[in-house]
Amino acid sequence: MSIVERIDRDINVAVITVSDTRTVETDKGGRLVQEYLAEINTVVEEDNYKIVKDDTASITKAVSAMLDKGVDAVITTGGTGIAKRDVTIEAVRPFFDKEVEGFGEIFRMLSYTEDIGSRSILSRAVAGTYANQVIISMPGSSGAVKLAMEKLVVPELNHLVFEVTKED
């Protein structure tokens, strides 16, 4: 097995929960993301955690503000389904310089085999890069967050950031 190149510093991450109903006290998904991130070399500054409404303008504004702060990665939870109010993907995808298709593909496969079965077809989870930053959007349910964080984000975030920040 080859050694994966890694960043030898803390990774600065922003966490955005997309919801019309969640508060800091009831945001299980956002809290879970932060708990998993605390296990690896990441920092989520207090002002880099937000809850925003399910509308494209609010999501776009929040993601843009976090990217402008220079965070290494933005992780969003919620708003990735197919309901009319689910517009996270429409808000984040225009930022992408490159989409990381494997994230969504593998997330849906894992969701199918390990969590929700055929309902996984409704997930539009995505990841991509913007300049030298990573954007990851996952569903907001605790099960989906746990799955994405354990199987994809925690194992690969460091390497993703390494790849988008390395010099040619």
Side-chain angles (χ1 to χ4, degrees), residues 118-155:
S118 61
R119 286 183 290 151
S120 63
I121 66 171
L122 289 104
S123 173
R124 298 184 304 136
V126 298
T129 66
Y130 172 79
N132 60 346
Q133 297 161 297
V134 176
I135 302 170
I136 298 170
S137 294
M138 66 182 81
S141 73
S142 296
V145 168
K146 182 177 186 292
L147 185 69
M149 294 302 293
E150 286 180 4
K151 301 288 185 164
L152 300 171
V153 178
V154 168

Side-chain angles (χ1 to χ4, degrees), residues 92-109:
V92 301
R93 196 171 256 146
F95 287 102
F96 292 172
D97 294 324
K98 295 182 179 181
E99 187 163 338
V100 181
E101 289 91 352
F103 178 84
E105 294 165 355
I106 294 172
F107 176 79
R108 283 180 284 282
M109 186 267 310

Side-chain angles (χ1 to χ4, degrees), residues 67-83:
L67 293 169
D68 287 348
K69 286 183 178 185
V71 298
D72 295 302
V74 175
I75 298 175
T76 72
T77 67
T80 63
I82 62 168

Side-chain angles (χ1 to χ4, degrees), residues 36-122:
Y36 278 103
L37 290 174
E39 296 175 8
I40 59 174
N41 65 318
T42 60
V43 174
V44 180
E45 301 289 337
E46 186 176 332
D47 63 339
N48 286 352
Y49 164 65
K50 278 189 153 332
I51 299 173
V52 299
K53 297 293 182 195
D54 281 304
D55 71 78
T56 306
S58 296
I59 300 164
T60 299
K61 181 178 177 183
V63 170
S64 182
M66 296 301 180
L67 293 169
D68 287 348
K69 286 183 178 185
V71 298
D72 295 302
V74 175
I75 298 175
T76 72
T77 67
T80 63
I82 62 168
K84 287 181 179 141
R85 296 287 296 162
D86 292 332
V87 295
T88 300
I89 305 312
E90 290 73 18
V92 301
R93 196 171 256 146
F95 287 102
F96 292 172
D97 294 324
K98 295 182 179 181
E99 187 163 338
V100 181
E101 289 91 352
F103 178 84
E105 294 165 355
I106 294 172
F107 176 79
R108 283 180 284 282
M109 186 267 310
L110 291 168
S111 293
Y112 178 80
T113 59
E114 298 185 21
D115 192 20
I116 59 173
S118 61
R119 286 183 290 151
S120 63
I121 66 171
L122 289 104

